[in-house]
């Protein structure tokens, strides 16, 4: 588990899988757009880089048909970033 200070709160975020690398600046905020929206109906979420790393792992797992890893990441998003889950993954 890794503890971060995010949105003025100390939060402990367990990695849903070991293969996820949070990078050198895990709190840098990034905006991710829903990949299924067209240019006129953009839905997006702003997330810290550590959550983007998990999102990227989910998408990669889906593409490689690793559904166990994908589901672990989805469950993590549902619990820790519920609003972003509904915008990006639901």
């Amino acid at each position: 588990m890794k503890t971060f200070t995010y949105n003025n709160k100390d939060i402990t975020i367990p990695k849903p899988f070991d293969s996820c690398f949070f990078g050198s600046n895990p709190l840098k905020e990034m905006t991710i757009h829903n990949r299924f929206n067209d240019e006129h109906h953009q839905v997006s979420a702003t997330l810290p880089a550590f959550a983007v790393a998990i999102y990227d792992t989910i998408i990669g797992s889906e593409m490689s048909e690793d559904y166990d890893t994908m589901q672990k990441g989805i469950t993590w998003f549902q619990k820790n970033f519920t609003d972003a889950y509904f915008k990006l993954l639901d």
Side-chain angles (χ1 to χ4, degrees):
M1 279 202 242
K2 183 88 171 154
T3 300
F4 299 101
T5 300
Y6 182 69
N7 283 344
N8 297 318
K9 293 188 265 185
D10 286 335
I11 55 174
T12 301
I13 302 292
K15 285 185 180 182
F17 20 73
D18 292 332
S19 61
C20 194
F21 176 64
F22 287 161
S24 62
N25 188 1
L27 298 178
K28 176 184 174 184
E29 290 195 326
M30 305 168 78
T31 300
I32 304 299
H33 298 281
N34 182 307
R35 60 196 172 126
F36 296 112
N37 293 141
D38 63 33
E39 64 185 74
H40 301 292
H41 299 94
Q42 283 290 328
V43 175
S44 62
T46 300
L47 299 166
F50 69 87
V52 173
I54 292 170
Y55 172 81
D56 288 344
T57 303
I58 292 167
I59 301 306
S61 297
E62 178 184 32
M63 295 171 96
S64 65
E65 298 180 1
D66 179 359
Y67 298 117
D68 182 54
T69 299
M70 184 183 87
Q71 189 56 55
K72 286 178 183 176
I74 287 171
T75 300
W76 182 91
F77 251 89
Q78 288 170 329
K79 180 179 179 187
N80 295 290
F81 288 89
T82 306
D83 187 52
Y85 163 78
F86 284 112
K87 290 179 179 179
L88 302 174
L89 296 165
D90 184 41

